[in-house]
Amino acid sequence: MKLTGLRWWVIALIALATIINYIDRQALSVLWPDIVEELFPDESALERKQIYANISIVFVFAYAFGQAIFGKIFDWVGTRLGFVLSIGVWSLATIAHAFAQGVLSFSIFRAILGVAEAGNWPGATKGNAEWFPIKERALAQGIFNSGAAIGGIVAIPLIAFLTVYFSWQMVFVVVGLVGFLWLVPWMILVKSPPDAHPWITAEEREYILTGQKRSDVDEDGVESEVEEYNPSTGELLSRKQSWGVIIASAAIDPIWWLFVFWIPIYLNEVYGMDVQSIGIYGWVPYVGAMFGAWFGGLLAQNRLKAGWNANKTRKFIITLGCLIMLPSLLAMANPGAPVTAVLIMAVILFGFQTAIGNVQTLPSDLLGKKAVGTLAGFSGMAAKLGAVGLTSLVPILTADGNYTPAFVIGASLAIIAMAAVWILIPKIEPLKKPE
């Protein structure tokens, strides 16, 4: 049996895994108003916010180190088994939330969830490098990144709807079971990489493998193939380009997590919304994120087809995304009505997703397939440590109910992300082994 367009089926499954990933992680923030009333009835509003922040910080710390761990795991065991380990464990961890009784148990289950969910990103980056030619990678990255946005769109109203019929404990069980269903088509469809897959057509195999060959153009305009560079971990970390990816990721990613963690809490605190009302408004920002993911990927593909090189394309789109975020983050200082607030958030997340797909493609632009997962894992770990820093500051910055300082910090981080790419990666191109 041959399956036409097999690479698109693979990326569609990875995007679906990302949707499930976000439904599982968003469950806590959406259910928190109900959870806090049941488990923490005697705490003040500030104490409740600090409890939520502490549990969230545990999750992001675990997520940060999980990215580095799973980056190596995916390079060791491959994309197929790596995803089985990642989604299998995180689904179990989601179900375990139903049995949480307080801060300690929630923190333990969030830590396990964080480590396992982290595998989705280095796994997706590695899968992208395996299954797509260079010119299609930003689009493929945009497709799976849109899964995060779709997960946000689906998660908030879905979980709010489920609370009408189920207790918060049962909601965790229901959403956790979905991940196990995903494993069935994944194990059937992704039997091996494209060079040995029995279902891939000869034409698609040739298209993918030929399109993955790296080339360089010398001063006389002569094109030659470049050998893949797969450095050791120490050598990888000695290159300034690697640090450009790591710092850009550490700066830009906290902007996303600012909204992932705090949209429901923000709407509850600033506008007095309950879980059902949050379900009506809270999904809107993720629509902007979804369109941004598609836009960033399609724009990159369009520019590459028009003859732009990877350096010009990536830097242009990353800069564009950051410049979209800057004024929008500052506008959140006084958004007015809740409809206006969530629409501005949608613009911010549009800009974020426009940029982030191209930031996440940088490891595969710079390194060979055997080292992509490692750099993606390190940059992902740095991104989540950056998110820990901002998340831990939010309760302090917003103690009086004013979220403006958090949004100003977000705008500053967008500038740092741009600077890291432009300064530390003078030219985005395949790195060569030092002479």
Side-chain angles (χ1 to χ4, degrees):
M1 182 181 82
K2 300 294 182 182
L3 192 60
T4 303
L6 183 59
R7 68 191 186 281
W8 299 110
W9 287 95
V10 173
I11 204 67
L13 271 178
I14 293 174
L16 180 58
T18 310
I19 293 172
I20 296 168
N21 187 296
Y22 265 79
I23 292 173
D24 287 7
R25 79 174 61 178
Q26 283 285 83
L28 180 67
S29 63
V30 179
L31 294 170
W32 187 249
D34 286 351
I35 293 170
V36 80
E37 287 297 330
E38 181 175 331
L39 297 184
F40 309 103
D42 300 324
E43 280 76 5
S44 67
L46 181 58
E47 287 171 335
R48 291 177 173 188
K49 188 191 289 187
Q50 189 62 60
I51 290 169
Y52 174 78
N54 291 342
I55 294 171
S56 299
I57 288 166
V58 169
F59 172 83
V60 186
F61 259 124
Y63 198 100
F65 291 102
Q67 291 227 317
I69 292 166
F70 266 98
K72 278 292 186 185
I73 288 174
F74 272 91
D75 282 342
W76 288 334
V77 305
T79 307
R80 185 175 190 251
L81 290 180
F83 267 109
V84 172
L85 286 171
S86 178
I87 199 166
V89 174
W90 98 50
S91 298
L92 284 172
T94 301
I95 293 171
H97 282 58
F99 304 98
Q101 297 294 317
V103 175
L104 178 60
S105 50
F106 264 121
S107 296
I108 291 170
F109 298 144
R110 293 305 280 181
I112 298 170
L113 180 72
V115 170
E117 281 204 334
N120 192 72
W121 268 258
T125 302
K126 187 174 179 66
N128 187 357
E130 286 178 348
W131 280 92
F132 284 85
I134 292 168
K135 66 182 180 181
E136 288 183 347
R137 285 178 183 169
L139 176 58
Q141 199 84 10
I143 290 171
F144 98 73
N145 270 343
S146 72
I150 295 168
I153 294 169
V154 172
I156 294 177
L158 173 64
I159 293 164
F161 173 77
L162 289 174
T163 61
V164 176
Y165 300 96
F166 301 107
S167 66
W168 63 262
Q169 291 94 337
M170 195 62 198
V171 172
F172 281 117
V173 174
V174 171
V175 298
L177 289 173
V178 176
F180 291 107
L181 296 177
W182 178 90
L183 288 172
V184 177
W186 177 258
M187 292 297 290
I188 293 172
L189 190 69
V190 186
K191 298 179 181 298
S192 70
D195 59 346
H197 201 292
W199 292 358
I200 194 170
T201 64
E203 293 79 10
E204 185 175 16
R205 180 185 289 112
E206 178 68 15
Y207 175 72
I208 293 170
L209 299 181
T210 301
Q212 291 177 347
K213 292 178 180 177
R214 298 163 183 269
S215 60
D216 193 16
V217 179
D218 64 20
E219 294 178 356
D220 299 321
V222 178
E223 187 173 348
S224 58
E225 189 172 332
V226 175
E227 183 181 354
E228 278 198 350
Y229 178 48
N230 295 297
S232 65
T233 300
E235 192 177 341
L236 183 150
L237 292 175
S238 72
R239 304 298 293 264
K240 68 178 181 180
Q241 290 88 345
S242 297
W243 285 102
V245 179
I246 291 168
I247 293 171
S249 301
I252 197 171
D253 216 51
I255 300 171
W256 173 257
W257 289 84
L258 177 64
F259 292 94
V260 168
F261 280 144
W262 295 100
I263 284 176
I265 311 302
Y266 173 88
L267 294 174
N268 174 256
E269 183 174 4
V270 176
Y271 297 105
M273 295 185 185
D274 59 15
V275 172
Q276 280 71 40
S277 299
I278 291 168
I280 295 171
Y281 286 91
W283 58 274
V284 174
Y286 294 99
V287 176
M290 177 181 69
F291 285 116
W294 294 340
F295 174 74
L298 288 169
L299 182 59
Q301 185 179 45
N302 173 270
R303 291 299 82 204
L304 289 168
K305 284 185 176 180
W308 287 21
N309 59 23
N311 180 64
K312 185 177 180 181
T313 300
R314 302 285 184 246
K315 287 181 177 175
F316 169 70
I317 298 173
I318 291 167
T319 303
L320 175 63
C322 289
L323 291 178
I324 290 171
M325 285 190 285
L326 273 172
S328 306
L329 281 159
L330 297 175
M332 283 300 297
N334 186 24
V339 172
T340 307
V342 294
L343 288 174
I344 295 173
M345 290 181 195
V347 175
I348 294 168
L349 296 190
F350 176 90
F352 174 85
Q353 287 290 351
T354 295
I356 194 64
N358 286 270
V359 173
Q360 292 172 339
T361 307
L362 293 175
S364 61
D365 290 329
L366 299 171
L367 300 173
K369 289 191 288 293
K370 293 180 181 178
V372 166
T374 301
L375 180 54
F378 278 121
S379 60
M381 180 178 71
K384 302 314 171 284
L385 290 176
V388 166
L390 186 55
T391 301
S392 62
L393 286 174
V394 168
I396 301 167
L397 296 171
T398 65
D400 58 354
N402 179 11
Y403 281 73
T404 299
F407 297 129
V408 170
I409 290 175
S412 303
L413 290 171
I415 296 172
I416 293 171
M418 284 190 291
V421 172
W422 281 93
I423 295 171
L424 293 175
I425 315 177
K427 188 174 182 182
I428 298 169
E429 62 183 356
L431 296 180
K432 297 176 183 178
K433 195 170 185 177
E435 298 295 337

